[in-house]
Amino acid sequence: MNFTAVPIIVICCYLCGEIYKAIFRNHTNAYRFIPLVTSVLGGILGVVIFLTNPEVILDAPNIWIALGVGIVSGASATGANQIIKQIFQQTNEDTENKEDDNE
């Protein structure tokens, strides 16, 4: 079983989500569509990978499984973004708290 397609889909969807965010930076209401965009893109990538090299996408037996793996991988890009955001936010809060304690 080959797992290389899942991280590839996650990274591609994460980068596309960041590009989407940069394009619509003045329209923060459009940010709510980022999970939908990454999920749809993940589904498309899952199907494309299945059609070109089916054993790469978790040995999917049919296109529907590949579509599901792609959608879940694309949606996990949003979760990866939130993990990164929370880690850096927590680090910044810890730094600010230490600076306040030192004063």
Side-chain angles (χ1 to χ4, degrees):
M1 188 176 293
N2 197 343
F3 293 100
T4 56
V6 174
I8 290 170
I9 294 171
V10 172
I11 291 169
C12 289
C13 290
Y14 177 82
L15 292 175
C16 288
E18 290 297 318
I19 292 169
Y20 179 91
K21 195 181 335 180
I23 291 171
F24 293 104
R25 71 175 160 256
N26 295 331
H27 306 287
T28 55
N29 270 348
Y31 288 3
R32 66 182 178 189
F33 296 114
I34 292 174
L36 179 65
V37 169
T38 58
S39 297
V40 169
L41 180 63
I44 292 169
L45 287 172
V47 170
V48 168
I49 291 171
F50 176 79
L51 293 175
T52 57
N53 199 359
E55 63 272 356
V56 174
I57 189 155
L58 301 176
D59 289 330
N62 59 43
I63 200 165
W64 298 108
I65 302 296
L67 178 68
V69 169
I71 290 171
V72 171
S73 298
S76 68
T78 306
N81 175 278
Q82 290 301 308
I83 290 170
I84 292 168
K85 186 186 287 188
Q86 294 298 325
I87 288 172
F88 285 118
Q89 182 180 0
Q90 185 67 30
T91 303
N92 290 340
E93 287 176 2
D94 290 345
T95 305
E96 289 173 4
N97 288 338
K98 287 180 183 177
E99 289 173 0
D100 291 342
D101 290 342
N102 291 335
E103 292 178 2

